[in-house]
Amino acid sequence: MSIWEKRFFTRDRGQGVLHKLWQVPWIFVLLLCGIAACGYVALYSAGSGPEAYASKHALRFGFGLVLMLSIAMVDVRIIARFAWVGYAGGIAMLVLVLLAGNVGKGAQRWIDVGPLQLQPSELMKILLVVALADWFSRATWERVGNVFFLIPPIIAVLLPMGLILRQPNLGTALITGMIGGAVFWAAGVRWWKFALVLGAAAAAAPVAYSHLHDYQRQRILTFMDPESDPLGAGYNIIQSKIALGSGGMWGKGFLQGTQGHLNFLPEKQTDFIFTMIAEEFGLVGGLTVLGLMCLVILFCYVTAIRCKHQFGRLVAVGLGTNFFLYVFVNVAMVTGSIPVGGVPLPLISHGGSAMLTTMLGFGVLLSVYMHRDAEFGPVRE
Amino acid sequence: MAKAGGGMRGVRREEEQRRGVFTRRALLLGLGQVGALGFLGTRLWKLQMEEGERYATLAEENRLSARLLSPPRGRIMDRNGVVVAGNRLNWRALLVAEQTQDVSATLETFTKIVPLQDWEKGRIEREVRRRRRFVPVAVREFLTWEEMARIEVNAPDLPGIVIDVGTTRLYPEAEHLAHIVGYVAPPAERDVGNDPLLELPGVRVGRSGVERQHDLLMRGRAGAVQLEVNAVGRVIREVERREGVPGQDVQLTVDSVLQRTLRNKIEEGTSAVVLDCRSGEVLAMASQPSFDPNLFNSGVSAEQWREWTRNRATPLINKCTNGLYAPGSTFKMVVALAALEARVVSPGERISCPGYMDLGESRFHCWSRYGHGGVDLRAGIKHSCDVYFYELAKRVGIDRIANMGNRFGLGVDPEIDLPGARKGLMPTRAWRAAQGKGWSLGDTVVHGIGQGFYQLTPLQLATMTARLASGRMVVPHVTRAIAGRPARTDWPTMAVSDRDLRLVRDGMWAVVNEGDGTAHASKLPAGYGNMGGKTGSVQVRRVTREQRERGYKTENLPREYRPHALFVAFAPFENPQYAVSVIVEHGNSGAGAAGPLARDILVETFNRFRTPAGPGPRVAEAQPGGAPGVPAATTR
């Protein structure tokens, strides 16, 4: 009897849907609700009322919760079985977006799926994690040491990276690469191979820089010295830092942020939502949000370490890293620590596609959590 | 089984190895990630706690935009409270640079609605560059209703343009008081200095006259509003408002009705001053031609400016305070006083006048070819005998004459509260020596009759007359320190013998009131009392011996070569109230041109100020029902 048949016909160990729902880590769901509530408050302020962003945000989160719990019910082995199908689908969407995507801010990133605008590159990160986890879970640590064994997964990482670069979206491509790297790392790829790749990347950086788009170079240059162009590209960073800094310890109060409400803050409902929070609720508000995000990441790693099968472990690490990179890049960007890139703050920023992919990822994570004791077949030597 | 069992054990060992590596690495990765977020936490700490204050300031600067409020400029009133420089509404279009992305594009669009000249655009762009971005710059003033409507309709296409109502200066008396009141103009770059008020559009600074003299007083202090603005500069609300201090009003001593009358009596090239000889108040002061100060409001065109500055009659210059003339025979009183004080002549001593005086090789002529015979002090003044004063000057010397002149305000700062009033010149030996020239007795003789190097203004001659008449060191002034306050009359007594003053005044009485006085024709009409006066004529070019022998008649000369005509007078003789000086350029003869004019001016002054209590402005009493302290202005 295949896993498939067992899952759906024999209800092994009595795992009915109700029983499974009982096993959902509700404390984690509560954590997500807490973060989404922060998002609701911030978006309420950004829109000076619930109509503009906050209501939609709550609705999307509710939808996302249903999606997440539905995926959580799916046996992790089924997810593993369809890993490469999903990967192929992701690649297909990336190709599609290049051919027929909507142009936003000078890059093709979106495709319309019914009423939704989908950003395949975001979905691709999750699909890549699942695919890589599937690949590495089948191999022993010894085998992972084999260079030839590493060639297919490297291609699996480089292919979507290349497609995302073509959009062009340097930031997401780099993040995709880093997520892949995290899975490689957790799977046990040797230290020196990472050192080799990083060294090669550093050597290639100047060459790559010369091939960058002007706006990308501008971003890097602006990051180096934001005050050099206070009304142009540096404006966002400067205004964001002013907003953050002026928040102080306790912030200016709900709906009282001058930088946000007087529109000095750019894109305050999306990329700069964290600034809005830190302006109105101060350091306390900013650290609270960061703390909640840390708890989510910790949950990912706890799930990974407690998981009995390599597939689940790698998926959890990959998804944790994905979430971490969202948070890190966004907050580092608004505090002026790294160049500006259009990375939203998960569960808080306004935007349907990001919310959907984030909750989808957490669905997979929960599936791993709930099926942490699932039996996989023996590894290949 | 063994193989399978071994396989199972192998698998388990493999699994444990894989899991061990994974756990170590996952812990490392997880801790690294939490650490990275922790790093961002410290970064937040640094921004919000350590640099928080700096950023809070920056946020306030972002949010708040200060706008200055211009206070109304103080008005100028005449002595009766009639407004002679007021403010009227002025609708104007302003440009706030911070509210537009592209100043020149906005101006381009504006030009299509209300045409702007290229030089105007240049001025606007220059001012935009010079001033802070939130300071509005005037684009066009004095908008008509139609222009305003067109601007309002097109407002969405005109970012940064705001319509605003300001005030502009209005001078109802126009030319009549221009030289006293002065005019205002937009501040020059160097004026702006530390007063933020001057950066405001429509603010004017005094450029001449009282407007300049009391500019700071009338300007007031700027108020300010703090506005909360959003990122594109739209005003969200007013945070704080601090009202400015309105400029103070200034009251003139001048009577605008008398001024108008006076101006209507005089022609081009004439200047006349009427002083209250007890208080020094200038009651009227006119110099023809004049200009309309209202024209400066909207900026004087280059053409108009050229016309004013190239006009030889100098309409922009107040000749009463800035025109320099030799005093001629009107100076003889000073020579007489100097000689009396030095005791080089007694009042009764008769000096013989054969019509000339010889000094070495030179012969100095009296104006009367046939001479005046034996002349004493009184007759010398009455007939204006040149030989008598040649002799007096010879005896007393130029330096003592200059010293006496200085005491009467001649050749010294007139101390009038008008900017730029000339000091003039009383020649002395030392002055001549400073020029590297010697001083001869002949020079002294010529200066005895008021000819020569003297440079005096009509105002100084009026001051001299007022001091002669009152015996006090009155100082002329055109504004009152405090509006409505009675004029000052307690000026110090002149350091000149009272007896000498009476002798000289007596001579001036004879000039007008005796049948053979030089200005008998200018006697006041019946009912106006008597006046004392003195004529004067000043040659504007040398008379040669041949001309004199051919029977030289100045009235036959072209006008610009005729002598200037002068007259000084005070009245009433017994209780002097008014002092008048008149200079008619190229009027030919003091008795003929200046005397009758001075008489008419005095008559008008009496008419203007005559009250039931008797002639003269009532300086101290309050009029029932009128403003307290405002002098009576009613004429019955």
Side-chain angles (χ1 to χ4, degrees):
Chain A
M1 195 179 280
S2 70
I3 295 166
W4 177 265
E5 286 158 341
K6 267 190 201 161
R7 171 71 190 78
F8 281 95
F9 302 110
T10 66
R11 300 184 184 271
D12 66 318
R13 296 201 305 193
Q15 284 192 338
V17 171
L18 270 178
H19 185 76
K20 274 194 167 178
L21 271 178
W22 180 249
Q23 289 183 330
V24 166
W26 290 104
I27 189 88
F28 177 71
V29 176
L30 207 65
L31 177 61
L32 295 188
C33 290
I35 296 174
C38 291
Y40 183 86
V41 170
L43 288 172
Y44 187 101
S45 182
S48 298
E51 298 84 12
Y53 311 117
S55 308
K56 281 186 204 160
H57 184 74
L59 206 68
R60 282 175 186 148
F61 180 69
F63 181 71
L65 271 183
V66 173
L67 180 76
M68 176 181 81
L69 291 173
S70 310
I71 294 171
M73 299 299 112
V74 178
D75 193 308
V76 73
R77 284 165 291 191
I78 294 172
I79 293 173
R81 170 164 293 191
F82 291 103
W84 290 100
V85 176
Y87 178 86
I91 295 294
M93 278 196 286
L94 282 177
V95 174
L96 192 68
V97 87
L98 278 183
L99 297 178
N102 292 332
V103 174
K105 294 188 185 170
Q108 295 161 301
R109 292 177 185 179
W110 306 90
I111 46 174
D112 293 317
V113 183
L116 266 179
Q117 282 190 317
L118 202 64
Q119 232 177 330
S121 56
E122 301 301 318
L123 198 57
M124 189 66 230
K125 287 189 254 178
I126 294 165
L127 297 171
L128 176 69
V129 165
V130 173
L132 288 178
D134 181 63
W135 180 266
F136 284 112
S137 67
R138 296 166 189 278
T140 59
W141 190 65
E142 305 292 344
R143 198 164 150 73
V144 169
N146 185 333
V147 177
F148 295 104
F149 177 76
L150 291 179
I151 289 171
I154 285 174
I155 292 170
V157 175
L158 290 181
L159 184 62
M161 273 183 80
L163 289 170
I164 294 167
L165 263 179
R166 283 292 302 273
Q167 286 181 354
N169 187 347
L170 177 68
T172 308
L174 283 177
I175 288 172
T176 307
M178 282 188 243
I179 292 168
V183 178
F184 273 63
W185 167 258
V189 175
R190 308 300 186 267
W191 283 93
W192 61 268
K193 287 179 182 143
F194 279 94
L196 200 72
V197 169
L198 286 178
V207 183
Y209 183 80
S210 64
H211 284 94
L212 287 181
H213 277 260
D214 280 342
Y215 85 95
Q216 289 165 330
R217 282 191 216 175
Q218 189 58 45
R219 235 176 228 175
I220 292 169
L221 292 176
T222 302
F223 165 67
M224 303 295 182
D225 183 14
E227 275 81 7
S228 66
D229 185 12
L231 286 177
Y235 179 85
N236 291 359
I237 296 177
I238 292 174
Q239 293 303 336
S240 176
K241 282 168 84 172
I242 290 174
L244 282 171
S246 61
M249 181 73 164
W250 299 101
K252 296 176 186 167
F254 184 49
L255 298 178
Q256 304 295 313
T258 58
Q259 287 284 101
H261 284 280
L262 299 173
N263 290 330
F264 288 101
L265 204 56
E267 303 186 46
K268 56 178 182 282
Q269 77 280 14
T270 55
D271 293 359
F272 287 90
I273 193 75
F274 184 80
T275 312
M276 189 92 191
I277 294 172
E279 188 190 11
E280 298 197 346
F281 301 99
L283 181 66
V284 175
L287 289 184
T288 303
V289 169
L290 274 184
L292 293 175
M293 297 297 186
C294 274
L295 289 179
V296 171
I297 292 163
L298 283 177
F299 178 83
C300 293
Y301 283 94
V302 168
T303 303
I305 289 167
R306 283 178 63 188
C307 186
K308 293 243 170 71
H309 45 86
Q310 184 78 348
F311 174 76
R313 292 178 200 137
L314 294 179
V315 164
V317 165
L319 293 177
T321 303
N322 182 24
F323 187 78
F324 158 76
L325 283 172
Y326 268 121
V327 177
F328 181 82
V329 171
N330 179 273
V331 176
M333 163 183 88
V334 301
T335 51
S337 312
I338 61 164
V340 180
V343 176
L345 190 62
L347 299 176
I348 292 185
S349 285
H350 176 78
S353 174
M355 174 72 87
L356 206 72
T357 43
T358 306
M359 295 308 274
L360 197 112
F362 285 138
V364 175
L365 181 77
L366 285 191
S367 169
V368 169
Y369 178 89
M370 289 166 63
H371 304 93
R372 56 190 178 273
D373 297 331
E375 296 279 347
F376 275 77
V379 293
R380 280 185 285 168
E381 293 294 328
Chain B
M1 271 310 279
K3 190 181 180 198
M8 283 302 284
R9 273 199 305 279
V11 167
R12 202 171 292 121
R13 200 182 61 247
E14 279 289 333
E15 173 60 23
E16 271 162 19
Q17 186 184 29
R18 198 167 69 163
R19 187 175 192 166
V21 170
F22 173 84
T23 307
R24 280 201 306 277
R25 291 194 170 190
L27 277 174
L28 217 57
L29 207 56
L31 288 178
Q33 291 178 0
V34 170
L37 291 192
F39 161 76
L40 290 182
T42 64
R43 177 111 184 118
L44 270 187
W45 173 277
K46 187 161 178 287
L47 277 175
Q48 300 196 281
M49 300 307 291
E50 288 171 20
E51 297 174 14
E53 270 181 41
R54 184 167 80 90
Y55 284 116
T57 312
L58 288 174
E60 286 296 284
E61 278 175 19
N62 261 348
R63 174 174 84 98
L64 296 176
S65 163
R67 303 269 157 90
L68 291 169
L69 299 170
S70 54
R73 188 173 173 86
R75 296 169 304 168
I76 302 177
M77 267 84 80
D78 87 338
R79 66 184 293 122
N80 307 311
V82 176
V83 175
V84 295
N87 300 314
R88 79 183 150 108
L89 294 183
N90 163 22
W91 294 93
R92 62 204 179 184
L94 308 176
L95 176 70
V96 184
E98 68 174 5
Q99 291 179 9
T100 175
Q101 301 290 325
D102 185 348
V103 169
S104 41
T106 298
L107 287 182
E108 222 34 67
T109 321
F110 188 88
T111 301
K112 286 182 198 130
I113 298 160
V114 179
L116 289 174
Q117 304 294 321
D118 279 344
W119 64 267
E120 285 179 292
K121 280 189 226 161
R123 171 189 64 82
I124 294 159
E125 284 178 0
R126 209 164 47 243
E127 284 192 34
V128 164
R129 273 197 300 280
R130 205 173 76 218
R131 293 180 181 171
R132 284 171 287 170
R133 290 185 65 75
F134 61 79
V135 175
V137 168
V139 174
R140 173 56 75 81
E141 298 196 76
F142 309 105
L143 292 173
T144 64
W145 282 108
E146 195 203 332
E147 285 170 330
M148 266 168 57
R150 266 155 50 198
I151 292 168
E152 291 288 5
V153 164
N154 290 291
D157 301 328
L158 292 167
I161 294 283
V162 282
I163 294 225
D164 166 80
V165 57
T167 57
T168 185
R169 216 53 169 162
L170 178 68
Y171 300 101
E173 294 289 321
E175 290 95 345
H176 292 300
L177 271 166
H179 287 138
I180 297 170
V181 168
Y183 62 90
V184 291
E189 281 178 45
R190 70 189 139 80
D191 294 326
V192 174
N194 289 328
D195 191 347
L197 177 59
L198 297 190
E199 289 189 24
L200 288 177
V203 165
R204 303 281 188 266
V205 293
R207 279 271 176 264
S208 76
V210 171
E211 291 275 27
R212 176 159 165 203
Q213 182 78 19
H214 294 295
D215 189 41
L216 285 178
L217 199 68
M218 286 192 283
R219 198 188 284 171
R221 272 212 315 280
V225 272
Q226 286 234 300
L227 299 171
E228 185 172 271
V229 296
N230 69 6
V232 290
R234 189 161 301 286
V235 174
I236 305 297
R237 67 191 173 99
E238 193 175 294
V239 179
E240 195 191 337
R241 173 180 278 263
R242 185 165 45 77
E243 292 296 345
V245 180
Q248 286 183 40
D249 291 346
V250 169
Q251 188 172 28
L252 299 181
T253 61
V254 175
D255 183 281
S256 56
V257 175
L258 181 63
Q259 175 77 14
R260 208 179 260 260
T261 315
L262 172 57
R263 257 187 47 88
N264 289 335
K265 283 198 171 300
I266 62 178
E267 7 176 283
E268 187 170 307
T270 301
S271 15
V273 180
V274 183
L275 289 184
D276 182 320
C277 60
R278 296 161 306 174
S279 63
E281 286 186 341
V282 176
L283 299 174
M285 176 161 77
S287 153
Q288 279 281 48
S290 181
F291 63 94
D292 183 357
N294 290 303
L295 296 179
F296 281 92
N297 267 330
S298 44
V300 170
S301 68
E303 232 168 292
Q304 175 71 71
W305 183 254
R306 217 173 305 130
E307 188 194 311
W308 278 336
T309 49
R310 291 195 181 162
N311 186 340
R312 290 183 57 179
T314 61
L316 291 178
I317 290 172
N318 180 6
K319 286 193 276 286
C320 295
T321 53
N322 292 55
L324 294 171
Y325 304 89
S329 300
T330 60
F331 189 70
K332 285 175 178 163
M333 285 82 81
V334 173
V335 178
L337 286 169
L340 287 170
E341 188 177 72
R343 307 209 175 282
V344 294
V345 69
S346 76
E349 181 186 343
R350 285 175 180 274
I351 292 167
S352 166
C353 168
Y356 57 88
M357 185 176 106
D358 284 327
L359 190 72
E361 299 277 295
S362 312
R363 169 165 288 194
F364 296 90
H365 292 269
C366 187
W367 64 269
S368 166
R369 306 181 64 153
Y370 311 106
H372 295 99
V375 177
D376 64 3
L377 176 72
R378 191 169 188 275
I381 296 175
K382 177 166 84 172
H383 299 303
S384 198
C385 174
D386 290 340
V387 170
Y388 182 82
F389 286 97
Y390 290 149
E391 181 61 27
L392 254 54
K394 204 174 87 181
R395 292 185 192 175
V396 71
I398 188 66
D399 288 349
R400 281 191 283 194
I401 293 172
N403 177 279
M404 182 58 71
N406 290 160
R407 274 183 264 170
F408 282 91
L410 307 177
V412 295
D413 182 352
E415 293 172 53
I416 192 169
D417 44 358
L418 282 175
R422 301 290 290 268
K423 173 169 170 273
L425 174 67
M426 282 298 287
T428 58
R429 285 173 185 278
W431 167 79
R432 194 65 176 149
Q435 291 185 324
K437 303 271 173 59
W439 188 273
S440 68
L441 196 56
D443 290 330
T444 304
V445 167
V446 168
H447 284 78
I449 61 161
Q451 307 276 3
F453 297 118
Y454 299 109
Q455 292 192 332
L456 301 174
T457 66
L459 176 73
Q460 284 175 321
L461 293 181
T463 307
M464 173 191 82
T465 312
R467 289 181 181 181
L468 266 173
S470 66
R472 287 178 183 273
M473 290 283 285
V474 292
V475 172
H477 50 279
V478 296
T479 60
R480 293 183 162 169
I482 297 160
R485 171 77 63 87
R488 177 183 174 182
T489 50
D490 59 335
W491 301 98
T493 313
M494 290 287 291
V496 177
S497 149
D498 204 38
R499 185 199 66 133
D500 295 352
L501 281 175
R502 267 188 274 114
L503 286 168
V504 170
R505 278 186 219 134
D506 187 40
M508 291 173 75
W509 187 85
V511 168
V512 182
N513 296 299
E514 292 189 355
D516 51 352
T518 50
H520 182 66
S522 304
K523 190 178 179 333
L524 283 174
Y528 288 91
N530 297 320
M531 71 171 179
K534 183 71 195 81
T535 55
S537 315
V538 190
Q539 291 167 12
V540 291
R541 63 176 211 166
R542 228 184 124 75
V543 181
T544 61
R545 184 177 299 244
E546 300 89 83
Q547 282 171 324
R548 201 178 291 279
E549 279 163 5
R550 271 197 315 236
Y552 165 82
K553 279 248 188 288
T554 51
E555 51 266 45
N556 297 336
L557 288 171
R559 187 171 171 88
E560 62 264 38
Y561 297 136
R562 292 183 204 164
H564 296 329
L566 289 82
F567 198 81
V568 297
F570 61 90
F573 184 80
E574 296 76 15
N575 173 30
Q577 291 181 345
Y578 310 118
V580 173
S581 81
V582 173
I583 295 187
V584 182
E585 285 182 4
H586 310 295
N588 198 31
S589 114
L597 186 53
R599 175 198 61 204
D600 291 352
I601 291 167
L602 276 171
V603 167
E604 293 294 345
T605 308
F606 278 121
N607 288 343
R608 177 69 187 141
F609 291 114
R610 181 170 289 173
T611 62
R618 288 166 40 185
V619 287
E621 298 119 303
Q623 194 75 350
V630 172
T634 44
T635 312
R636 294 271 131 75

